[in-house]
């Protein structure tokens, strides 16, 4: 006799369609694992984001100083600092290389910045729904077991 179990991986799949200049669409598939270990790791990373942002601002002072629009070096520094920060956030959230996948699909910094905010919000809302659903199912199983145990005692 073979005992067979089927389980679904805890997580939120994400598809990002990037329309190319020729009209074709390149789909970038991402996945945010929502198991306990990954969620704990993400929370830890989120608490370090401010420290990392401060570090990036120290290395790229143009991010916090006013830069004249004619200051090419200052503008390059802003782009480099912002890119490093956005890269770190994408890679921390969805795994190493995520920023590169999105960049290679044709998304630049101007598109990736607001997308990160939208993705973070949407993914965490979906993860919360999944966690709530799992808790309800667990509560139902516990209630059923309690009822069964109560019936046996009678």
């Amino acid at each position: 006799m073979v005992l067979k179990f089927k389980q679904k991986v805890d997580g939120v799949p994400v598809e990002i369609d990037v329309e190319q200049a020729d009209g074709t669409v390149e789909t970038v598939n991402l996945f945010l694992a929502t198991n306990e270990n990954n969620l704990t790791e993400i929370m830890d990373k989120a608490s370090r984001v401010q420290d990392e942002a401060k570090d990036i601002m120290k290395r790229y002072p143009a991010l916090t100083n006013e830069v004249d629009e004619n200051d090419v070096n200052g503008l390059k520094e802003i782009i480099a600092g912002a890119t490093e920060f956005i890269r770190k956030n994408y890679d921390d959230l969805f795994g190493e290389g995520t920023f590169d996948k999105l960049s290679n699909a044709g998304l630049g910094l101007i598109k990736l910045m607001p997308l990160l905010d939208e993705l973070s919000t949407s993914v965490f809302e979906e993860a919360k729904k999944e966690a709530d659903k799992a808790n309800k199912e667990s509560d139902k199983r516990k209630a059923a077991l309690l009822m069964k145990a109560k019936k046996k005692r009678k």
Side-chain angles (χ1 to χ4, degrees), residues 63-130:
L63 286 169
T64 54
N65 300 330
E66 288 207 25
V67 175
D68 184 307
E69 62 187 47
N70 296 321
D71 179 4
V72 175
N73 289 332
L75 294 173
K76 285 180 181 179
E77 186 177 303
I78 289 171
I79 292 169
T83 300
E84 183 176 333
F85 183 73
I86 295 298
R87 174 187 302 275
K88 182 104 179 89
N89 278 273
Y90 272 104
D91 288 354
D92 280 352
L93 189 59
F94 292 105
E96 199 68 32
T98 300
F99 177 87
D100 290 335
K101 282 183 195 176
L102 294 166
S103 257
N104 292 339
L107 295 178
L109 189 60
I110 302 299
K111 300 271 185 179
L112 289 172
M113 288 170 63
L115 179 61
L116 179 62
D117 187 44
E118 189 177 337
L119 277 172
S120 299
T121 302
S122 300
V123 163
F124 285 115
E125 284 175 6
E126 195 62 33
K128 185 179 181 330
K129 286 179 194 173
E130 288 294 317

Side-chain angles (χ1 to χ4, degrees), residues 133-148:
K133 181 179 168 186
N135 284 337
K136 284 180 185 174
E137 288 174 8
S138 176
D139 289 346
K140 285 179 186 177
R141 284 191 299 272
K142 288 177 192 173
L145 288 172
L146 286 173
M147 292 301 288
K148 191 175 184 179

Side-chain angles (χ1 to χ4, degrees), residues 9-11 32-44 130-131 134-135:
V9 174
D10 294 331
L32 178 68
T34 57
N35 60 47
E36 308 78 32
N37 293 336
N38 196 50
L39 289 176
T40 302
E41 189 177 310
I42 288 169
M43 286 187 265
D44 289 344
E130 288 294 317
N135 284 337

Side-chain angles (χ1 to χ4, degrees), residues 60 132 139:
Y60 301 96
D132 290 345
D139 289 346

Side-chain angles (χ1 to χ4, degrees), residues 17-67:
D17 290 336
V18 182
E19 187 175 339
Q20 304 298 306
D22 64 2
T24 61
V25 174
E26 184 173 336
T27 300
V28 178
N29 293 300
L30 306 175
F31 186 80
L32 178 68
T34 57
N35 60 47
E36 308 78 32
N37 293 336
N38 196 50
L39 289 176
T40 302
E41 189 177 310
I42 288 169
M43 286 187 265
D44 289 344
K45 288 176 184 176
S47 67
R48 292 191 305 259
V49 165
Q50 287 188 353
D51 292 336
E52 292 168 358
K54 288 177 187 175
D55 180 53
I56 289 171
M57 285 190 253
K58 283 180 188 173
R59 287 186 283 126
Y60 301 96
L63 286 169
T64 54
N65 300 330
E66 288 207 25
V67 175

